[in-house]
Structure formats: C-alpha cells, structure tokens
Amino acid sequence: MLKRNSVLTFVISILIVLLATTSTFAAVKFISIATGSTGGTYYPVGVILATTFGEELKDSGYRFSAHASGGSSENLEMLRNKEVKMAIVGGAPTSNAYAGIGKYEGKPIENIRFVTALWPEAMQIVYRKNIGFKTLADFPGRKIASGPAGGGGTVYLPILLKQIAGLTYDDFQPQYLGYSDSAQAMQNRLIDACFLGGGFPTSAVSQLYASQIPVDMVEFSDEDIAKVREVAPYFAKVIISKGTYPKQDRDLNLMAIKSTLVVEKDVSEDIVYKMLEAIYVNKLEDLHKKHGALKTLSLEQALVGLTNVPLHPGAVKFYKDHNVEIPDDLIK
C-alpha cells in the first residue's frame, strides 16, 4: 500500500510540474526576426539584435529569435501574412510596399511599421578579374548571381542596370543564389560576378576578397549616381574605405540605401519602446563592437532614410521622449 501511494504521489508531482511548465510556456510570446541570406549582413545582425533584445527584455514575457530568409521581398510578404512579427528590410522596398507602387501596385502591404533605420546598404557587385569585366555595361551574356529570388538584388539591380547601362535582366543570365552560394560559385568560376548588397563588411564579400580568385568591385561615378537618383532618390553615395576587405587596396566609390527594422503593426507598443531603449540607450556601444555595419548606429541617424511609412506608435513615443524630430510622413 505504501509503495502504491508513493507511485501515486510521484505521478501527481510530475503532472503538476508539466501543467506549470505548459502554463509558463503558453504565457511566453515569441518574436521571430526575418533577416536574409547567411552570407550577407541581415542574418548576423538579426542574430545580434535578437540576442540583445532577449537579454534586455528577459522579464517582458517575450522571446526573440532570428532566422535566415530570401531577403527584403520575402520578408515583406511574411509580414503581410503575419508569418513573422519583425524583419530587417531595405527602406526603399518597404516604402514601395506600403504605398502599393512598383511591384506592389494594387497589392500594398499596409500592416507594416518602421521602427528605426539601421545601416547604409552598399550596392556591392563583385566580379572576377581578368575576364574583361569591370562595369555594368559588361553584363550582357554573362552569368551573374543576383541574390535570392526574394532578395534586394531583384529590387535594386534592375534600377542600376536600366539607369546606368540601359540593360535589363534579359541581357544576362541571372543566377538566383544566396550570398554564401554566390561566393562559392565565384570561387569555382561558375559565374562571372555577383550582387552582394549589404552593410560593410559583408561576410561573403570578405570571403571572396580573401580567396585565391582575384576579384574587384564595380564602382559608380557621380554621374552614375545622379542618373539612378532621377528615379530612385533614396540612393546616396557611399565610400568603402581601403582595407575594409582583405587585399582591398583602394577606396571604393559605391552607392547605398538604408536598411531598416520593420514590425507588424500589432506588436506591443511597450515592446517596441523597450527594443529601441535597448538599442540606443542601454546597448549602443556594445552593438557598435558586435558588427561593422552597426558602427553607424546613432540616435541622430535613427530616422534618416525613412520615408512614407508610419512609425510604430512605440517608436513615436520613444523618439519624442528622446527629443528626436519626427518627419510628418512618418506619423499616422
């Protein structure tokens, strides 16, 4: 009888523990950050942000994680469908998606809200040296990796090609590869060049510059940039300083757009406020050291490059509390 009671007591104890664990688990809310290809900038920075938010908001009842994706276009569709609550996305496609213009004509994504600008996303087009390739005019007939099918390359590269060289995707052989796969294909001489847009340094670009295959990068003149800005004014000149990448022996004149942190509009106002507090108040210096792309983060630059999409109410409150002037087109 005593043994039977002991077994019964043990079973009841296990059930109590399981019920308590299940109850606690059910109370936890999860926020997944959609990022980009593992060889780019979005993914490692997404992991850094998820870790930072997890540490700083550990008592909030929320858990944060980052996962790789096809990039900006795919991330926006996941936000539309409420498959994720947060994503790193280029500022330009976010504006287009909210306004329902370009590829989003007739199907705007209206449930997205800006949180903050992040870093300048440089238009990095790396090519193999000594194959008669140096500019966008050399694209015709070539095998070029343009990034994942849902990535930023499919948004930005067509604009650059048309405005600078009068070309379209029909003029070359696009290969829809992720960044790590693009770098590997270059090293195996399977492609001639690849689009690796991102914050710098970008790991896939570092890998190529450090490899045994001599590479270089397409540069853009002030005239090139002016042509692009006629139709896409969100582009700006950026210089990647000599030595940013292995064996990079000169400054590189490129153009860039701002990457952004975007959330689904139903995310808690308090959580968005605390995320921004983590970035700009509690952990800014630490974030500067975590990744080269994050060195540009500052409260003064937090809204620079953001246009035509409302800020999340939690972000509005945070910026007002910290005396950051908010442009009218970011208030809804």
Side-chain angles (χ1 to χ4, degrees):
M1 185 70 174
L2 181 61
K3 183 177 179 182
R4 187 175 177 183
N5 287 340
S6 296
V7 171
L8 184 60
T9 301
F10 176 74
V11 170
I12 291 171
S13 298
I14 292 295
L15 287 172
I16 290 171
V17 170
L18 287 172
L19 285 170
T21 303
T22 302
S23 177
T24 301
F25 185 80
V28 173
K29 297 180 180 179
F30 294 89
I31 293 182
S32 179
I33 307 173
T35 61
S37 176
T38 54
T41 310
Y42 284 17
Y43 179 72
V45 171
V47 171
I48 290 168
L49 290 177
T51 302
T52 300
F53 296 152
E55 292 170 352
E56 291 295 301
L57 282 71
K58 60 180 179 293
D59 298 325
S60 67
Y62 283 80
R63 297 292 179 268
F64 298 84
S65 63
H67 71 263
S69 76
S72 290
S73 295
E74 183 178 317
N75 293 350
L76 285 166
E77 291 301 329
M78 285 193 286
L79 284 165
R80 181 206 295 276
N81 297 326
K82 299 190 177 186
E83 295 169 20
V84 296
K85 290 290 187 182
M86 191 183 315
I88 298 175
V89 188
T94 304
S95 295
N96 290 347
Y98 185 81
I101 60 177
K103 65 184 287 186
Y104 299 100
E105 186 171 355
K107 47 181 181 179
I109 303 178
E110 298 178 334
N111 64 320
I112 51 177
R113 299 292 183 267
F114 275 141
V115 174
T116 184
L118 292 172
W119 62 85
E121 188 174 352
M123 301 295 103
Q124 301 170 124
I125 301 171
V126 183
Y127 60 88
R128 290 193 289 121
K129 277 185 171 181
N130 308 319
I131 60 167
F133 193 109
K134 196 170 184 179
T135 71
L136 297 186
D138 298 316
F139 265 53
R142 302 283 191 171
K143 285 187 176 180
I144 313 289
S146 55
T154 59
V155 178
Y156 311 127
L157 193 52
I159 298 172
L160 305 186
L161 286 168
K162 181 179 180 181
Q163 292 301 113
I164 295 173
L167 300 174
T168 71
Y169 266 46
D170 293 333
D171 294 303
F172 67 101
Q173 301 175 54
Q175 312 294 306
Y176 297 102
L177 303 174
Y179 284 19
S180 295
D181 289 340
S182 294
Q184 192 62 51
M186 282 275 283
Q187 291 175 73
N188 292 334
R189 297 179 173 84
L190 299 175
I191 58 175
D192 300 311
C194 52
F195 175 87
L196 299 171
F200 42 90
T202 300
S203 62
V205 178
S206 295
Q207 179 183 338
L208 283 171
Y209 268 81
S211 73
Q212 297 302 309
I213 303 296
V215 299
D216 207 339
M217 201 178 295
V218 172
E219 294 191 71
F220 303 104
S221 67
D222 289 346
E223 183 181 355
D224 290 336
I225 296 171
K227 288 179 181 177
V228 171
R229 283 177 56 82
E230 288 176 3
V231 297
Y234 43 78
F235 278 100
K237 182 175 181 176
V238 68
I239 296 174
I240 298 183
S241 300
K242 173 183 175 180
T244 298
Y245 293 113
K247 298 181 284 189
Q248 179 198 339
D249 58 6
R250 69 182 193 282
D251 291 347
L252 296 169
N253 296 300
L254 305 183
M255 66 179 92
I257 62 146
K258 276 291 186 74
S259 60
T260 68
L261 187 63
V262 180
V263 295
E264 208 274 325
K265 67 180 180 65
D266 292 335
V267 172
S268 159
E269 181 175 329
D270 182 58
I271 289 301
V272 171
Y273 189 101
K274 288 178 178 176
M275 288 192 311
L276 286 169
E277 195 169 49
I279 293 173
Y280 292 114
V281 179
N282 301 335
K283 289 290 185 177
L284 186 59
E285 289 186 13
D286 187 50
L287 289 171
H288 286 168
K289 299 172 186 175
K290 294 285 188 182
H291 194 286
L294 296 176
K295 290 179 180 178
T296 62
L297 279 182
S298 72
L299 201 51
E300 292 74 25
Q301 292 291 312
L303 302 182
V304 175
L306 304 187
T307 58
N308 302 325
V309 178
L311 283 169
H312 189 279
V316 172
K317 185 176 188 304
F318 175 83
Y319 293 124
K320 285 183 176 179
D321 285 351
H322 291 81
N323 301 313
V324 177
E325 186 175 349
I326 303 175
D328 292 341
D329 67 335
L330 299 184
I331 297 287
K332 181 176 180 180

